[in-house]
Amino acid sequence: MSANNVKPFTVFVEGNIGSGKTTFLEHFRQFEDITLLTEPVEMWRDLKGCNLLELMYKDPEKWAMTFQSYVSLTMLDMHRRPASTPVKLMERSLFSARYCFVEHMMRNNTLHPAQFAVLDEWFRFIQHNIPIDADLIVYLKTSPSIVYQRIKKRARSEEQCVPLSYIEELHRLHEDWLINRIHAECPAPVLVLDADLDLSQITDEYKRSEHQILRKAVNVVMS
Ligand SMILES: Cc1cc2cn([C@H]3C[C@H](O)[C@@H](CO)O3)c(=O)nc2[nH]1
């Protein structure tokens, strides 16, 4: 709850791997009225000395369930984390966990149907028993070929084996969820930004969302 005990205006920042979510979030670090929760990748890379991210990429059939279970726990922790500011920006959510990553791993049989069923039951239970809603989703829309080049350039070691086909499938799943709305539960209105733009041009795109987010923040504070 923010200072005046009102739920903060909550934004999920969603997009493919390499779509610029961290850069987008860092743009908002300049505002003191916003709490930023970036993806806890470092927790996934070091759980009691185990690099679950690396294990998952190296042997998906063996580790996808373990990895996605822990990702969901860390995302639930972020959803539940109180914010003392009128606005809370989160990098990804339990929704992209379920509708993009877990969905992909089920469709390509990285997750056994029994494992998928367990993860889906957890998602449904949380969705019906714990408030994890949002007020806005910012979707950093990208072209798979562009983010694939960024991933190569970024050279995050665990991702070097990621094929373009995986990025294309994740793109389709983000489009199905956020644009084609195939899942009934889309938790909030979606603001689509053109995240193919390179860093020099993308600030104007950020400013478009800045206005919408900060204006809402004023409403929260005034309410
Ligand atoms: C919610 C959620 C985020 C997330 C990220 N990842 C991977 C994609 C990237 O390589 C890395 C950091 O986003 O973790 C995943 O496999 N499953 C996920 N689920």
Side-chain angles (χ1 to χ4, degrees), residues 17 39 41 44 53 56-57 67-68 71 75 92-93 96-97 101 105 156 159 166:
I17 304 171
E39 217 172 36
V41 181
W44 307 340
L53 182 66
M56 184 272 296
Y57 274 127
F67 176 72
Q68 290 302 340
V71 166
M75 299 311 288
R92 289 218 176 101
S93 65
S96 39
F101 293 93
M105 293 175 178
R156 186 183 273 161
E159 294 168 350
Y166 178 51

Side-chain angles (χ1 to χ4, degrees), residues 54 90 92 104 107-108 117 157 162 166 200 203 219 221-222:
E54 184 179 58
M90 264 185 66
R92 289 218 176 101
H104 167 73
R107 292 185 186 183
N108 75 348
S157 58
V162 170
Y166 178 51
S200 57
T203 308
N219 296 346
V221 170
M222 303 306 282

Side-chain angles (χ1 to χ4, degrees), residues 72-136:
S72 297
L73 176 63
T74 59
M75 299 311 288
L76 180 57
D77 172 50
M78 284 167 57
H79 283 295
R80 303 285 296 148
R81 201 158 317 156
S84 58
T85 54
V87 177
K88 173 179 166 183
L89 261 60
M90 264 185 66
E91 184 175 2
R92 289 218 176 101
S93 65
L94 273 170
F95 293 91
S96 39
R98 169 63 189 79
Y99 295 139
C100 299
F101 293 93
V102 168
E103 185 73 14
H104 167 73
M105 293 175 178
M106 174 270 289
R107 292 185 186 183
N108 75 348
N109 294 313
T110 300
L111 285 170
H112 183 282
Q115 294 174 319
F116 170 72
V118 169
L119 289 172
D120 189 50
E121 285 300 299
W122 270 105
F123 175 73
R124 289 171 186 277
F125 178 86
I126 291 168
Q127 208 187 0
H128 296 132
N129 293 279
I130 301 175
I132 54 170
D133 49 357
D135 299 290
L136 176 69

